[in-house]
Amino acid sequence: ESVEVKDEVIQGKIKTTDSALRTITLQDALETIIQVQKYATIFKDGDKIGIEGLEYDDEIRAFGLPSECSGDDVDFYGYDIIVVDDDE
């Protein structure tokens, strides 16, 4: 028996970040919450940064997996986060 895992990508503007909980809330209608994994890679302007370097209104693209458990407090598990230009 095999298991196939397909990662997904979500994109949006940051509403808030919480460094202690390692979460990002997006400005979308659902206020999507991304759980940034401890070993996640975050890039901004070509530099590797910590979650503390993310700012309100940054446009991000997050690569990872959606939460499939109804009891989870997050919507998406982010493994790689890239701050992108709004026009990308």
Side-chain angles (χ1 to χ4, degrees):
E1 187 175 327
S2 65
V3 175
E4 185 175 331
V5 177
K6 293 185 179 181
D7 65 336
E8 293 188 20
V9 179
I10 60 172
Q11 185 166 330
K13 287 184 181 274
I14 293 177
K15 179 178 180 181
T16 61
T17 61
D18 186 319
S19 297
L21 295 176
R22 300 191 57 79
T23 58
I24 298 168
T25 303
L26 298 181
Q27 297 178 29
D28 58 10
L30 301 174
E31 294 195 342
T32 302
I33 298 174
I34 300 169
Q35 175 73 61
V36 180
Q37 300 303 292
K38 289 182 182 178
Y39 47 84
T41 305
I42 305 171
F43 285 102
K44 183 174 184 177
D45 298 325
D47 295 322
K48 188 174 176 181
I49 63 168
I51 192 171
E52 308 80 22
L54 297 172
E55 300 174 19
Y56 171 80
D57 231 24
D58 278 346
E59 178 83 15
I60 62 165
R61 190 172 296 146
F63 300 82
L65 299 171
S67 170
E68 300 293 335
C69 300
S70 60
D72 283 356
D73 292 334
V74 299
D75 304 301
F76 193 83
Y77 295 98
Y79 299 99
D80 291 301
I81 313 284
I82 301 171
V83 177
V84 297
D85 290 330
D86 287 339
D87 57 355
E88 279 191 32

